[in-house]
Amino acid sequence: MGAEHSATDDGIAPAVGDGELVVVSNRQPYTHSYERTDGERSITVNRPAGGLTAGLDPVMQQTDGTWIAWGDGEADADVTDDDGTVRMPPESEAYTLKRLWLTDEEVEGYYYGYSNRVLWPLCHGGTMKTEYVERYWQRYQQVNETFADAVIETAGENSLIWFQDYHFTLAPRQVREAVPDSAFLTHFWHITWPGWDTFRACPQHEQLLEGLLGNDLLGFHVERYCENFLDCVDEALDDAFIDPEGGRVNYEGHTTVVRPFPMGIDAQSIRECSEEAGAEFWDDFRATHDIDAATSVVVGVDRLDYTKGIVERLEALERLWEVEPDYREAVTYVQKASESRSLIPDYQDLQTEVRETIERINDRFGTADWQPVVYINEFIPQQELCGLYRHSDVMLVSAVRDGMNLVAKEYVAAQVDDDGVLVLSDQAGAHEELGEQALTINPYDTDAFADAIETALTMDTEERAERMVALREQVESHDLYAWMASVFDAVEEVRAKRADDD
Ligand code: GDG
């Protein structure tokens, strides 16, 4: 059995030191919305559903820090003071949530524009999808300044400032220049970092790199992204001095340490959720979706994004049913997809393409008693998700490019019976840790992908268990709390080194 962590028993809070912990993210941990019952309007609070936000929340509570984020909830402004702050969570009021208000134009340019139509495709290697609209860049700069100002107002001596993700490439430099030297800036980049040959296409590549080099510690999921980043700095910034072995960049007198921190999941909570979703849950689920008890179930769970390789996966399944008719009526594929960023045309196109591909496959092979692909479009509760993971015979993760892919790890953590098989793209960051025991695929190699699905479906019980026990051990011992501890340990180490050098 792997580590049983909680956020606070790992010595994370002491690692924050005696300064304030300031977390900066695009999405906030809590939102407020209106609820209407019997003509009465009241305000309700929505809590963090899972992942990093839920994991960081107890750390924030223990250290009484400040979390700065975009206030996008409809009732958010009704509960905050004039500074946009509110104490959270409601029952203990243990830390400050500072909400920043963005205009529609800012959201359009900073979030839907530069973040998701430039940086997202660029970092995933999709230079053909990037849209360099000047307005997006202007708004992105402006919103980064707004966030930087809020951090500067909040941070003091010894503060630990933790930026999350690609929405804030410029803010670190602005903050570094304005806060005391004793404050420490760290940033975790949740998506891939591309090679120089891709990154150089971005007209703002210099500003982006300079912004990120305001950090003292910059984290990526895997070593390759760190190498790519250092390579980009080397190529783009003449005055940067790089120590590739030590993962250090010195630029304009400031040093940034660049390190891999492969992110984990809250394995214990997934396991507990999965244990609760027993046979009864599965019978109900199959009945609801009309899946015959005799068929094997293959599953895919994704945010509907073109990086996740959903169409490539459907094509591999289609190939399997085409060349191996024995699998017709014997295997059902469940695609759990959550629509996201739907205001962006590329995402609307993908939604259409996925639906059309599913319709084509269902028309082609479906019978009176069997629907090959079951599509679940709406967001499902954690309990149901864990049950789906637990009881599916095979999970397909076929990202064409993915920073990590937490779904692969969640599937593993939910395998309390050790009887599932993970088929995993070698293009996902998770492949670095799970590739040896998963069945590896290249999402574009449709024939080999179809073969791998067949191998997974026919794998005997013993081999399934052997692989899954090893995968589970890896995922449980490198969970979300171990990840946070490794980030905080590195903060302490780099801080101590900096103090020695001064
Ligand atoms: C970015 C990077 C990196 C999805 N549908 C439902 C649901 N989900 C949850 C999953 C999982 C999360 O959403 C998706 O996480 P991923 O890691 O797969 O992907 P991104 O959203 O693209 O995240 C990625 C990650 O950041 C972390 O650094 O791994 O590479 O792109 O947790 O469970 N959860 C529930 N119902 C759903 O219907 N409850």
Side-chain angles (χ1 to χ4, degrees):
M1 200 49 59
E4 302 220 347
H5 294 292
S6 77
T8 46
D9 64 10
D10 275 303
I12 289 167
V16 171
D18 57 1
E20 182 167 12
L21 175 61
V22 182
V23 168
V24 186
S25 65
N26 177 59
R27 291 277 175 215
Q28 49 180 346
Y30 298 85
T31 57
H32 286 87
S33 52
Y34 296 117
E35 202 174 60
R36 289 163 190 88
T37 30
D38 303 329
E40 291 286 309
R41 196 175 81 162
S42 60
I43 292 178
T44 115
V45 61
N46 312 297
R47 286 159 193 281
L52 177 63
T53 317
L56 262 180
D57 192 65
V59 179
M60 293 301 281
Q61 291 193 38
Q62 210 197 12
T63 59
D64 190 3
T66 298
W67 194 315
I68 301 176
W70 166 29
D72 64 337
E74 58 169 348
D76 280 356
D78 280 6
V79 297
T80 49
D81 63 16
D82 292 346
D83 288 335
T85 65
V86 56
R87 298 287 290 172
M88 281 288 139
E91 59 283 1
S92 59
E93 302 194 350
Y95 72 91
T96 302
L97 170 61
K98 183 172 173 62
R99 291 173 166 153
L100 300 183
W101 313 118
L102 303 181
T103 64
D104 289 351
E105 290 74 26
E106 284 173 332
V107 172
E108 191 253 351
Y110 142 82
Y111 179 73
Y112 287 105
Y114 204 79
S115 294
N116 287 318
R117 296 167 87 157
V118 176
L119 289 175
W120 178 270
L122 176 74
C123 287
H124 290 92
T127 42
M128 307 307 165
K129 283 194 193 289
T130 45
E131 296 171 59
Y132 294 103
V133 176
E134 182 57 23
R135 186 179 76 250
Y136 297 166
W137 173 236
Q138 297 298 342
R139 301 278 192 238
Y140 185 81
Q141 291 178 89
Q142 187 183 323
V143 171
N144 264 255
E145 257 173 58
T146 306
F147 274 84
D149 288 345
V151 176
I152 293 162
E153 241 172 61
T154 310
E157 291 291 343
N158 296 321
S159 285
L160 170 57
I161 301 152
W162 193 2
F163 293 98
Q164 303 294 330
D165 234 344
Y166 58 100
H167 311 91
F168 307 112
T169 40
L170 307 174
R173 185 179 167 94
Q174 292 157 21
V175 171
R176 183 67 278 170
E177 284 166 2
V179 294
D181 286 349
S182 63
F184 191 91
L185 276 65
T186 184
H187 201 135
F188 190 75
W189 192 264
H190 289 261
I191 62 176
T192 40
W193 190 279
W196 167 242
D197 214 35
T198 298
F199 192 66
R200 73 193 180 91
C202 176
Q204 295 86 25
H205 64 254
E206 258 183 64
Q207 290 102 309
L208 298 176
L209 293 170
E210 284 179 333
L212 285 171
L213 291 176
N215 286 296
D216 300 294
L217 174 66
L218 172 60
F220 294 94
H221 283 298
V222 302
E223 184 67 45
R224 195 171 54 254
Y225 312 154
C226 296
E227 289 165 9
N228 286 347
F229 177 80
L230 292 175
D231 200 29
C232 288
V233 173
D234 195 22
E235 296 282 355
L237 304 177
D238 289 344
D239 298 336
F241 174 78
I242 291 151
D243 163 17
E245 278 77 44
R248 293 158 78 87
V249 182
N250 189 282
Y251 182 64
E252 295 187 341
H254 179 255
T255 299
T256 305
V257 173
V258 180
R259 288 254 178 101
F261 300 98
M263 189 171 162
I265 53 153
D266 188 345
Q268 190 182 336
S269 105
I270 300 262
R271 187 176 68 231
E272 285 166 4
C273 246
S274 166
E275 273 161 1
E276 280 168 33
E280 201 180 321
F281 159 81
W282 194 231
D283 289 345
D284 283 355
F285 185 90
R286 280 187 182 263
T288 306
H289 297 286
D290 212 6
I291 303 170
D292 190 276
T295 56
S296 298
V297 173
V298 176
V299 70
V301 174
D302 315 80
R303 213 169 32 73
L304 248 177
D305 194 288
Y306 50 76
T307 59
K308 303 293 181 187
I310 302 171
V311 174
E312 288 74 5
R313 193 183 312 159
L314 290 165
E315 283 168 358
L317 285 155
E318 184 175 25
R319 183 67 48 87
L320 178 71
W321 283 312
E322 178 185 283
V323 297
E324 301 283 357
D326 286 354
Y327 290 104
R328 296 182 201 164
E329 300 201 305
V331 176
T332 298
Y333 175 62
V334 177
Q335 175 65 60
K336 165 75 247 328
S338 320
E339 287 183 5
S340 77
R341 306 174 192 170
S342 300
L343 294 179
I344 300 176
D346 276 330
Y347 285 77
Q348 293 160 8
D349 293 348
L350 176 72
Q351 288 162 16
T352 309
E353 195 183 357
V354 167
R355 279 182 190 283
E356 286 176 358
T357 310
I358 291 174
E359 270 166 32
R360 185 186 73 224
I361 296 174
N362 284 345
D363 283 351
R364 186 169 171 198
F365 302 116
T367 62
D369 302 320
W370 174 67
Q371 184 180 318
V373 181
V374 172
Y375 187 57
I376 305 173
N377 189 22
E378 66 278 2
F379 193 83
I380 58 175
Q382 186 78 355
Q383 178 83 47
E384 196 175 325
L385 182 65
C386 291
L388 176 59
Y389 285 146
R390 173 177 174 180
H391 297 285
S392 297
D393 302 283
V394 176
M395 151 67 74
L396 305 181
V397 173
S398 57
V400 294
R401 199 51 55 95
D402 211 339
M404 174 53 74
N405 195 292
L406 298 182
V407 166
K409 294 186 171 183
E410 290 167 0
Y411 178 74
V412 168
Q415 292 304 303
V416 291
D417 313 303
D418 289 322
D419 57 357
V421 183
L422 174 65
V423 175
L424 180 59
S425 164
D426 60 3
Q427 304 297 307
H431 192 264
E432 304 278 313
E433 292 164 274
L434 310 182
E436 227 170 275
Q437 299 297 337
L439 296 183
T440 297
I441 51 120
N442 175 325
Y444 299 117
D445 190 345
T446 309
D447 287 324
F449 190 172
D451 286 348
I453 301 172
E454 184 173 14
T455 306
L457 286 165
T458 54
M459 190 180 286
D460 64 44
T461 321
E462 207 177 313
E463 188 179 349
R464 281 173 178 256
E466 214 169 279
R467 287 175 184 263
M468 197 45 75
V469 166
L471 285 170
R472 212 138 72 86
E473 165 59 25
Q474 167 67 28
V475 168
E476 288 178 353
S477 57
H478 295 80
D479 69 0
L480 176 68
Y481 301 105
W483 176 80
M484 285 202 282
S486 69
V487 173
F488 283 108
D489 283 352
V491 167
E492 268 190 301
E493 180 203 315
V494 175
R495 230 176 184 168
K497 169 107 182 49
R498 206 173 61 176
D500 283 352
D501 293 347
D502 284 345

